[in-house]
Amino acid sequence: MKNFFKMLYIACALSCICGCTSITYTESDSSPEIKGGNGTYRQILISNYGYYLFNCIPLGCGGLSDGSFELFSDNVNLDKAMQTLKDECAKDNADAFSNIQVSQTSTCIFSWVPYLGSTLGIYWFKEIQISAAIYSENFKIEKDAK
């Protein structure tokens, strides 16, 4: 019974410090077709979040691939998110992309606690999202084959 509570404690502690990366595409039937071309545009959304001490010491965040996470590394920044977009475009043989939108947030989780959250700012949540339209002539065939 003692080991059970120890494992439960470790699982709760890890769930509080880990982050995640997610990569989402629009469905093939909701993507607009390009007039006069064989390819399609699809929207891609890349989201990465993580947790930090004092807004600068990383505890855990998402990695550079879909569904991954890394402990004690700082991947929640524009450079790493653009690298993930570049890797996805290369993986999908994208011919072009456009309309890149970037959103970044940084929030102190304990900001509602007087003095602890606003003055000290101990525990922070950071997130970055990149959205883009990707064009490829092979995109529809490769994604539907999987």
Side-chain angles (χ1 to χ4, degrees):
M1 192 68 160
K2 189 175 182 180
N3 286 337
F4 173 75
F5 285 116
K6 187 176 181 181
M7 294 298 286
L8 184 63
Y9 175 75
I10 291 171
C12 289
L14 284 176
S15 68
C16 290
I17 64 168
C18 64
C20 187
T21 299
S22 67
I23 300 171
T24 309
Y25 290 93
T26 56
E27 298 296 324
S28 59
D29 56 355
S30 64
S31 298
E33 296 290 330
I34 297 173
K35 294 180 181 180
N38 295 330
T40 58
Y41 273 104
R42 288 223 184 137
Q43 193 72 17
I44 184 173
L45 175 66
I46 297 170
S47 177
N48 191 358
Y49 67 90
Y51 297 96
Y52 292 77
L53 286 178
F54 304 109
N55 203 18
C56 61
I57 302 170
L59 296 175
C61 64
L64 297 180
S65 61
D66 192 18
S68 64
F69 73 93
E70 296 178 9
L71 293 175
F72 310 116
S73 64
D74 185 16
N75 290 335
V76 185
N77 56 46
L78 187 59
D79 292 339
K80 301 291 182 164
M82 288 301 287
Q83 180 64 41
T84 303
L85 177 63
K86 181 181 171 184
D87 293 345
E88 284 296 310
C89 288
K91 185 172 77 174
D92 293 329
N93 295 324
D95 299 321
F97 59 90
S98 63
N99 298 333
I100 296 177
Q101 301 289 319
V102 177
S103 170
Q104 290 182 309
T105 59
S106 182
T107 306
C108 181
I109 293 178
F110 297 118
S111 62
W112 57 274
V113 178
Y115 298 108
L116 178 67
S118 60
T119 306
L120 299 176
I122 295 174
Y123 196 59
W124 289 75
F125 170 81
K126 288 185 183 181
E127 181 179 25
I128 187 165
Q129 292 184 343
I130 293 183
S131 174
I134 298 175
Y135 171 76
S136 177
E137 293 182 9
N138 308 21
F139 193 71
K140 187 173 183 179
I141 298 168
E142 289 178 5
K143 285 293 181 181
D144 292 341
K146 289 182 180 179

